[in-house]
Amino acid sequence: MLVFVLIGILAAGCAKQKKPGNKTSASKPVASRHEARGEVQNSGCKEDLAGIFMISRATLPHGAAAPSTNMEGRVGFIVGKAGTLLKTADGGLTWRQVLTKKPAALDLERILFMSTNEGWAIGPEQLLHSADCGETWTPAPELPEKFYYFGPSAASASAYYQMQPPTCGASVWRTPPGSIIWKSLPSHLPRNDYGAVFFYNDNLGWVAGNYGIFARTENGGQTWQTRPLEDAGRICQIQFVSPVTGWMRANLGHNGNIFYSNDGGASWQNKNINSIRPYWNINDMQFLDEKTGFLLVHVESGKNQVMQTRDGGSSWKVLGTHLLEISAFCFISPAEGWVIGAGGETFHYHP
């Protein structure tokens, strides 16, 4: 009889036990699915996972109060298919489902927190709000003008921002902490097909989309300055770590570049990553500060890489390779983070 011992990641295959009359033979090695420094964690879930947020000083918006010591990098959330919303209080050693699962539960794709207590879980057809560190969740009302779907979103320490899906409207709606009452920004966006949004504070905001369309506001959306970007591809994520320093990524059509600004988005530079092929997808991006950042790159079916920069995007190295479909990550330091993916997969990077 074969006895298999599962310890974290599957490594080399175990040798077969001897049986009377049979020759001893060794089984073939079993390849690890995670070629990275860390360990698999048990999410207790088999659904495909889509978004993750670990509460820490590195992930909360600028101006948010720092979490307590026992929360720093230990409390976190994962969302995914069929109403999956998981919470951990021990850095991912254990996860529990905090929503009541229903047969026809709607998918969730992203999760954001604007403080240690207040968070938002976003799906195409539902938006959930929590004011008690993710213990309970309340459906948010539909956006005004009778629009039923939720598009790109962002959270600052002073407001949550929700856009309509690209081509379906030209508004950004906001709600302050402790509220789920929508209020439109002072003016409509210059276009109706933006696919990414980010607000650093009440005044500074940026939107971008396909074919390099881009706009920024310095007065909370009263006016917008537009500037097209050449060869930018389909921009789907924006992040600023200060009022002047920020990055954008395109998941397709990027030509091996991400885009960098050191003047608040007035101008952008291509940061070419030689090791990224133009036809690979860049599926996630996170910067901890002006120097340290991460990319999630889809190399081919069943193969994804986590890449890291420590010099603001001038050079990159592969931090780990994952031989399955990975959808998102969240890092709280240069050495510690989590990646999630298909079939409930969760992997913890650590020193």
Side-chain angles (χ1 to χ4, degrees), residues 119-143:
W120 298 82
I122 310 104
E125 299 178 72
Q126 68 174 337
L127 176 64
L128 305 177
H129 173 258
S130 176
D132 57 4
C133 195
E135 287 299 310
T136 59
W137 295 83
T138 302
E142 297 169 355
L143 296 176

Side-chain angles (χ1 to χ4, degrees), residues 43-162:
S43 69
C45 173
K46 297 301 182 184
E47 300 286 354
D48 291 345
L49 305 179
I52 179 170
F53 191 100
M54 302 297 295
I55 291 178
S56 73
R57 286 167 289 181
T59 55
L60 288 172
H62 166 77
S68 59
T69 302
N70 66 332
M71 291 184 69
E72 177 74 35
R74 302 304 95 193
V75 175
F77 302 85
I78 293 174
V79 295
K81 294 286 188 180
T84 296
L85 205 166
L86 310 176
K87 179 178 180 178
T88 183
D90 55 16
L93 293 177
T94 58
W95 296 87
R96 61 185 175 90
Q97 171 74 19
V98 295
L99 291 181
T100 302
K101 295 281 281 183
K102 299 177 181 178
L106 299 174
D107 296 342
L108 294 167
E109 295 181 346
R110 305 181 304 281
I111 186 159
L112 302 171
F113 272 74
M114 54 196 302
S115 69
T116 55
N117 284 323
E118 190 159 6
W120 298 82
I122 310 104
E125 299 178 72
Q126 68 174 337
L127 176 64
L128 305 177
H129 173 258
S130 176
D132 57 4
C133 195
E135 287 299 310
T136 59
W137 295 83
T138 302
E142 297 169 355
L143 296 176
E145 301 175 0
K146 296 187 182 300
F147 202 83
Y148 304 105
Y149 297 100
F150 300 99
S153 54
S156 71
S158 55
Y160 172 78
Y161 297 87
Q162 182 65 59

Side-chain angles (χ1 to χ4, degrees), residues 1-5 13-19 25-27:
M1 178 179 69
L2 292 176
V3 178
F4 291 91
V5 180
C14 302
K16 292 184 179 180
Q17 293 181 322
K18 293 183 179 180
K19 291 185 179 181
S25 61
S27 60

